[in-house]
Amino acid sequence: MTKYEREIFAIVTTSREHLTVEQIFQRLKRTHPNVVLATVYNNLNRLLEEGLIRKVSIEGMPDRYDRTEKHDHLVCRNCGKIADITLRDLTESLNEQLGDDFLYYDLKVFYLCPACRKILQEQNSHSTE
Amino acid sequence: MTKYEREIFAIVTTSREHLTVEQIFQRLKRTHPNVVLATVYNNLNRLLEEGLIRKVSIEGMPDRYDRTEKHDHLVCRNCGKIADITLRDLTESLNEQLGDDFLYYDLKVFYLCPACRKILQEQNSHSTE
DNA sequence: TAATAAAATTAGAATTGTTCTAAAATGGTA
DNA sequence: TACCATTTTAGAACAATTCTAATTTTATTA
């Protein structure tokens, strides 16, 4: 593992925020001001290949990176913010239903996060005044 | 609904292939050779806003478009091809677990499609010759 | 330790997917 | 028909990501 690979791995896995490439880049620059964006991409891709991190895609937003420990995601329909949740495991149920062996699954539950719910409610009440 | 909106809606909903923008564009050109890519984007976005179609994002691939009837997706880890499946509904279970009201969920099950499995097996046997 | 090979990083161009802008075309509606 | 709103067009602009080639760093070995 190279210096940057290790640092980027640490940034991704210690943050609970599901960072974008740009955010990871900004954090890395705090300690390594001369690092370049391509290096972040290179190392993220390397880490992905090695299976040490995972990518989370939410439609319409840049990809985010996440630790690999099994968990599901609660995604705000409005702002795209992601929160971790651990829901009942579906492996057994899927094995039962699919028979065939699958590799893994990705479950995203969409909702309105408290902040967005509030904003939308306010907008609503204004528009009906 | 405009002419193009209707046609694009038909293309998306009658295809079982989870088409990309480019594929939709190519099909539309068969009957309307002068149509322009921006029109496809415009109409897809309109249809999305109206809730008449949905978008399916697979990391690392261009967005795909799909009908809205409830179903899940089986995604090939290798080539990204998507197949529809209808698995046991999770709404009740999620309500139970999350208490709070969620909007909807997205369940993708990753696997190797038969074609890719074959290719990968062959590659494997060659490399160990 | 010097020489060499391999891998990682850099800089910036290139590509891809998508949105934006302003002008032109089209479609009702009064 | 005249008007206004909507849609389409053309192409520029943009954002995210990959690619390429040169340079630097790291590891290996003589």
Side-chain angles (χ1 to χ4, degrees):
Chain A
M1 250 207 196
T2 71
K3 176 178 70 165
Y4 286 131
E5 201 175 350
R6 188 166 25 250
E7 302 238 2
I8 289 171
F9 177 72
I11 291 172
V12 170
T13 54
T14 62
S15 163
R16 219 74 321 159
E17 287 180 66
H18 307 86
L19 303 173
T20 63
V21 170
E22 195 52 39
Q23 290 172 318
I24 295 165
F25 180 47
Q26 292 311 327
R27 296 208 180 184
L28 190 59
K29 278 213 282 200
R30 307 217 267 250
T31 48
H32 301 80
N34 299 320
V35 75
V36 127
L37 187 56
T39 299
V40 180
Y41 275 105
N42 288 162
N43 282 289
L44 285 171
N45 285 335
R46 195 132 20 90
L47 287 163
L48 280 171
E49 272 168 36
E50 292 163 336
L52 294 173
I53 59 173
R54 70 157 148 156
K55 212 192 252 199
V56 185
S57 312
I58 302 297
E59 65 118 299
M61 329 224 132
D63 288 341
R64 291 153 187 287
Y65 294 85
D66 198 3
R67 69 208 153 93
T68 54
E69 285 98 285
K70 198 200 163 329
H71 63 276
D72 306 297
H73 288 127
L74 209 45
V75 184
C76 178
R77 175 84 236 253
N78 195 240
C79 69
K81 215 173 86 190
I82 303 174
D84 287 343
I85 34 166
T86 301
L87 297 163
R88 188 143 52 239
D89 186 74
L90 296 175
T91 308
E92 202 186 324
S93 166
L94 289 175
N95 269 327
E96 214 177 85
Q97 293 177 77
L98 293 170
D100 222 355
D101 41 2
F102 64 93
L103 300 169
Y104 57 91
Y105 68 84
D106 172 23
L107 175 59
K108 296 198 187 83
V109 180
F110 290 81
Y111 80 137
L112 290 175
C113 73
C116 284
R117 199 170 308 185
K118 203 169 162 188
I119 290 164
L120 292 175
Q121 258 164 15
E122 273 165 31
Q123 278 177 9
N124 238 4
S125 68
H126 282 297
S127 68
T128 51
E129 259 165 28
Chain B
M1 251 207 196
T2 71
K3 175 178 70 165
Y4 286 130
E5 201 175 351
R6 190 168 22 252
E7 302 238 3
I8 290 171
F9 177 72
I11 290 172
V12 170
T13 53
T14 62
S15 163
R16 219 74 321 159
E17 288 181 65
H18 308 85
L19 303 172
T20 62
V21 171
E22 195 52 40
Q23 290 171 318
I24 295 165
F25 180 47
Q26 292 309 327
R27 297 207 178 185
L28 191 59
K29 277 213 281 200
R30 307 217 266 250
T31 48
H32 300 81
N34 300 319
V35 75
V36 126
L37 187 57
T39 298
V40 179
Y41 275 104
N42 288 162
N43 282 288
L44 285 170
N45 286 335
R46 195 130 22 91
L47 287 163
L48 280 171
E49 273 167 34
E50 293 163 336
L52 295 172
I53 59 174
R54 70 157 148 157
K55 209 192 253 198
V56 185
S57 311
I58 302 296
E59 66 118 303
M61 329 225 135
D63 289 340
R64 291 154 187 285
Y65 294 86
D66 198 2
R67 69 207 153 93
T68 55
E69 287 97 283
K70 199 200 164 327
H71 62 276
D72 306 297
H73 288 126
L74 208 46
V75 184
C76 178
R77 177 82 235 253
N78 194 241
C79 69
K81 214 171 87 188
I82 304 174
D84 288 343
I85 33 165
T86 300
L87 297 162
R88 188 145 48 242
D89 186 74
L90 295 174
T91 308
E92 202 187 324
S93 166
L94 290 174
N95 269 327
E96 214 178 85
Q97 293 178 75
L98 293 169
D100 222 355
D101 40 3
F102 65 92
L103 301 169
Y104 57 92
Y105 68 85
D106 172 23
L107 176 59
K108 296 199 187 82
V109 180
F110 289 81
Y111 81 139
L112 290 176
C113 72
C116 285
R117 199 170 308 187
K118 203 169 163 190
I119 291 165
L120 292 175
Q121 258 166 14
E122 274 167 29
Q123 277 179 8
N124 236 6
S125 68
H126 282 297
S127 68
T128 51
E129 261 166 28

